[in-house]
Amino acid sequence: MDESAALPMTQAGRRVPRVFAPASFALALVGVLGTLGVAAQAHVLLADRLRMAGAVAAGLAALAGAAFAVLLGGAAAIVGRRLAFYEISAAAILVLAGAGLRVAAIARHPGADALSRTLETQGTLVAVLFALGSALLAATAVFLGASIGFLLGGHGRLDLSFSWELFVARSHLRISARTLLGLFALVVTGLVPGLLVMLGASLWRDAAERRAERRGEPSWRTRLPATHLMTLISIAGVAIGVWALTVVLSVMSGFEADLMKKILGAQAHGHVMKYGDGEFTEWRDVRTRLLSVPGLRGATPFLYNEVMLSSGGNLTGAVLKGIDPDTVGTVTDLAANIQEGRLEWLKEPGEIARKAGEGEPAAAPPKRSLPGIVIGRELSRGLRVFVGDTVDVVSPLGDLGPAGPQPKSRTFRVAAIFYSGMYEFDSKFAYLELREAQRFFGTGDSVTGIEVKVADVDLARATMSRALAALDGYPYRVKDWGEMNRNLFSALQMEKVVMAIILGFIVLVASCTIVATLIMLVLEKTREISVLKSMGASVASVMKVFVAEGLVIGAIGTLFGLTLGLGTCLLIDKVGIPLDPDVYYIDNLPVLIDPAQFVFCALAATALSYLATLYPATKAARLRPVDGLRSE
């Protein structure tokens, strides 16, 4: 039986599509579910197998999922000969319900997938928002594809032409280059000053027109249509939203990059340790084997334990770390971060000079050479010590005495003070020469592990996997910087996503203004729409006209916003906004211009502008010619 014969009939004898098409619903459901699956599998392929950087792999995986969603959504619209809104909504509701059940199941029995890791590190609320947000984005992408498919081939034939529709849209909008330049100047100078200038110009023109009318001269002023003003307001709204979004994301990326630089400078890119409490005495051989692994630039042994530091009446907890001064510079920036003293004095404690008062010459080296210790700037402030002063180190890992376990205490002399730019490091870390640390903790020739530095920090996980393979696996284990600082960077990433969503509401509000503008255009152009449909214009052609108008508004606003955002970021980067380094541990407001973020903002703004055109375009396409002509 012919499928078209089963379609209901109108009074004019035309076939109309079903209100709910099961075939379209099936395609929409496959599209929403498949989008999430395709994106996940593409990320695994790109990140784990092809060893791409995390951000690049995530972006390409998202594009692959979006392409699949657009393809299935277009197929659903063509099969159902409608926008398939009801079918996609039903599919989205089912997927959202399934996502909620999935989160509940993972909360009881955690797994090893991305949702499980999100639930473990970020909490249940973030995991729920992650699952629901992914499902909503997939449904939105499917609906985007359905609208494109309906516009291009929803009536049984493929129609890729847009020239005629663009011509009609341009005639409706009537936006000149002079008007756009004035609007751009208005946004740049600020809304309040710009509106005051516009108000003054309007009052002056009104007064000039009245004087001309009193003299009996013809009126020369052309009234600005309400739809034209609404169009300019919509462009300004999109521009301001994209402007704010790009600037805030660039500033947050600057903070993240600065934090990552400091962490990767103060810490190693990876650790190699052993399972259990076994001794790590073969560390020299392991270090030699690690240096032969492709992608590893340096390796150095370390030994650390928690201790108490005291000087006079000041007492604080710290992490005491034994290092090799000769090789630690190949892995971390400790030597470059020394502000006072010298790192080499750890090996030559006799060179440490007790510091006299400010402006006075340094005192001669003491007769008794105490072992040296390097502490952070905040730690030195808390203990009130300087280079050359003594510090008592107390370790709970002492020997057994008559009354039981006794803490071990020893005096060290401050050899250097470092400043890493991270408060946590500067206030908690202290460094000893490796052999002194081994003697203090009584570990013999054993170490805690080996720190390594990789050539590409984005490929640290893959490089550490190769290092583990070079060591034949067990009993060795590896950790990369992402695992060691997972909570911190996950929190920063979540903060950036939340800020992007919040600021995205500005663009969403501007998109609502586009809806209002196009609805006013539909009401204003009712007669023209009726004439076009009477002359044979199809529903898709009429929709294309108003879709083109909304896209023009969104594209111009997005271009203005990107230009303003880029200019603002360059201005902040060049001029700088000073910050208090004692509070923020940074001198100026950091800015990182990431082209990928600018592309994301442009795509998001354009997509929202496009989605905002669908309802007014559908309203215009459903207008019957007789109704429009009768209203005239």
Side-chain angles (χ1 to χ4, degrees):
M1 182 178 179
D2 187 11
E3 183 181 356
S4 62
L7 294 176
M9 303 282 291
T10 63
Q11 294 181 356
R14 296 180 180 177
R15 306 284 180 183
V16 297
R18 300 177 187 274
V19 176
F20 190 91
S24 297
F25 170 73
L27 289 171
L29 185 59
V30 172
V32 177
L33 291 175
T35 298
L36 302 176
V38 168
Q41 292 300 321
H43 187 269
V44 171
L45 174 64
L46 297 173
D48 296 341
R49 296 185 181 180
L50 298 181
R51 311 296 185 186
M52 287 189 178
V56 177
L60 293 179
L63 289 178
F68 181 82
V70 170
L71 181 63
L72 268 294
I78 293 175
V79 169
R81 298 177 61 186
R82 298 173 57 253
L83 282 176
F85 177 77
Y86 300 118
E87 292 87 345
I88 296 174
S89 299
I93 292 174
L94 286 178
V95 174
L96 289 175
L101 295 176
R102 171 71 172 161
V103 172
I106 291 178
R108 298 189 188 95
H109 305 286
D113 56 0
L115 191 58
S116 299
R117 291 193 296 269
T118 305
L119 186 65
E120 179 184 357
T121 59
Q122 300 294 334
T124 305
L125 178 60
V126 176
V128 170
L129 294 177
F130 173 77
L132 298 183
S134 300
L136 285 175
L137 287 176
T140 303
V142 172
F143 181 69
L144 188 67
S147 63
I148 295 175
F150 180 74
L151 287 176
L152 301 181
H155 294 278
R157 62 184 182 86
L158 187 62
D159 184 13
L160 300 178
S161 63
F162 246 96
S163 58
W164 175 79
E165 288 83 359
L166 284 174
F167 172 77
V168 177
R170 188 165 55 250
S171 65
H172 284 178
L173 294 176
R174 291 182 294 179
I175 301 178
S176 63
R178 180 179 178 183
T179 303
L180 291 179
L181 289 176
L183 179 64
F184 186 78
L186 170 65
V187 175
V188 171
T189 57
L191 292 180
V192 175
L195 289 175
L196 291 177
V197 172
M198 292 180 61
L199 179 61
S202 178
L203 292 175
W204 179 83
R205 296 185 66 180
D206 285 339
E209 186 177 4
R210 292 192 189 96
R211 287 194 299 269
E213 289 177 355
R214 285 195 297 268
R215 291 193 298 265
E217 298 176 359
S219 177
W220 48 270
R221 182 177 181 182
T222 303
R223 296 286 180 179
L224 187 66
T227 54
H228 192 72
L229 181 60
M230 286 292 295
T231 299
L232 298 180
I233 293 176
S234 301
I235 293 174
V238 174
I240 293 174
V242 174
W243 185 7
L245 188 58
T246 53
V247 172
V248 170
L249 288 181
S250 298
V251 171
M252 295 189 68
S253 296
F255 274 111
E256 183 179 4
D258 181 78
L259 180 62
M260 183 180 297
K261 179 181 177 182
K262 291 177 178 178
I263 289 179
L264 296 181
Q267 283 188 337
H269 296 169
H271 285 174
V272 177
M273 295 181 288
K274 295 181 69 172
Y275 286 101
D277 298 327
E279 293 186 350
F280 198 163
T281 57
E282 72 282 9
W283 58 269
R284 293 179 180 84
D285 178 62
V286 171
R287 178 176 178 272
T288 303
R289 294 163 65 183
L290 287 174
L291 292 176
S292 64
V293 176
L296 282 181
R297 287 186 173 178
T300 183
F302 72 96
L303 173 68
Y304 74 91
N305 273 305
E306 294 186 1
V307 297
M308 297 292 293
L309 300 183
S310 65
S311 178
N314 303 303
L315 181 69
T316 184
V319 175
L320 188 62
K321 191 171 182 180
I323 60 173
D324 181 12
D326 295 331
T327 59
V328 71
T330 63
V331 177
T332 67
D333 296 336
L334 179 61
N337 293 334
I338 297 296
Q339 281 194 329
E340 299 179 34
R342 298 182 63 181
L343 184 62
E344 293 80 6
W345 288 349
L346 287 180
K347 297 184 64 176
E348 301 175 357
E351 298 295 328
I352 305 174
R354 182 176 288 105
K355 199 173 182 181
E358 184 177 357
E360 298 179 8
K367 296 181 180 180
R368 179 180 172 222
S369 296
L370 295 174
I373 186 173
V374 177
I375 62 176
R377 190 179 72 175
E378 297 299 328
L379 195 58
S380 70
R381 291 178 176 178
L383 296 174
R384 301 176 186 268
V385 295
F386 303 94
V387 174
D389 294 338
T390 58
V391 173
D392 294 325
V393 179
V394 181
S395 173
L397 304 176
D399 299 326
L400 288 176
Q406 295 180 347
K408 181 183 298 184
S409 177
R410 189 175 180 184
T411 302
F412 294 85
R413 194 175 302 281
V414 178
I417 297 175
F418 71 90
Y419 173 71
S420 66
M422 289 287 295
Y423 180 82
E424 292 295 328
F425 294 119
D426 295 347
S427 61
K428 291 296 182 183
F429 277 86
Y431 297 92
L432 293 180
E433 200 271 332
L434 181 61
R435 288 172 296 180
E436 290 292 341
Q438 290 172 336
R439 280 194 291 268
F440 181 71
F441 292 117
T443 61
D445 194 38
S446 179
V447 298
T448 304
I450 297 178
E451 294 179 320
V452 299
K453 182 177 183 179
V454 300
D456 189 348
V457 293
D458 293 328
L459 302 178
R461 180 163 299 180
T463 306
M464 295 306 297
S465 299
R466 290 196 298 268
L468 183 61
L471 299 176
D472 300 327
Y474 189 85
Y476 302 102
R477 58 189 176 95
V478 297
K479 279 187 176 182
D480 62 271
W481 65 270
E483 294 180 77
M484 292 186 289
N485 303 279
R486 181 174 59 183
N487 293 336
L488 176 60
F489 286 106
S490 296
L492 288 174
Q493 191 66 26
M494 183 57 61
E495 183 180 359
K496 185 188 294 186
V497 171
V498 171
M499 288 298 298
I501 293 174
I502 293 175
L503 291 173
F505 279 105
I506 301 177
V507 184
L508 185 61
V509 171
S511 301
C512 295
T513 311
I514 294 176
V515 174
T517 302
L518 294 182
I519 289 177
M520 291 180 64
L521 272 174
V522 170
L523 296 176
E524 181 182 315
K525 305 296 181 181
T526 300
R527 182 172 179 274
E528 287 83 350
I529 296 171
S530 301
V531 172
L532 289 176
K533 298 195 70 173
S534 300
M535 295 174 63
S538 64
V539 174
S541 296
V542 177
M543 287 188 65
K544 285 181 182 180
V545 171
F546 291 92
V547 168
E549 292 176 4
L551 284 177
V552 168
I553 294 173
I556 295 175
T558 301
L559 182 61
F560 280 6
L562 292 177
T563 304
L564 293 169
L566 180 61
T568 303
C569 292
L570 292 175
L571 182 64
I572 294 176
D573 186 45
K574 184 176 181 180
V575 177
I577 297 178
L579 300 176
D580 187 357
D582 293 332
V583 177
Y584 300 99
Y585 262 65
I586 193 171
D587 296 330
N588 294 302
L589 188 69
V591 175
L592 176 63
I593 301 176
D594 187 358
Q597 291 183 355
F598 276 72
V599 172
F600 165 76
C601 294
L603 292 177
T606 305
L608 287 176
S609 301
Y610 172 78
L611 292 174
T613 64
L614 295 179
Y615 174 73
T618 305
K619 184 177 179 63
R622 289 179 177 178
L623 183 66
R624 295 188 300 177
V626 62
D627 295 336
L629 295 175
R630 185 187 297 120
S631 64
E632 294 293 330

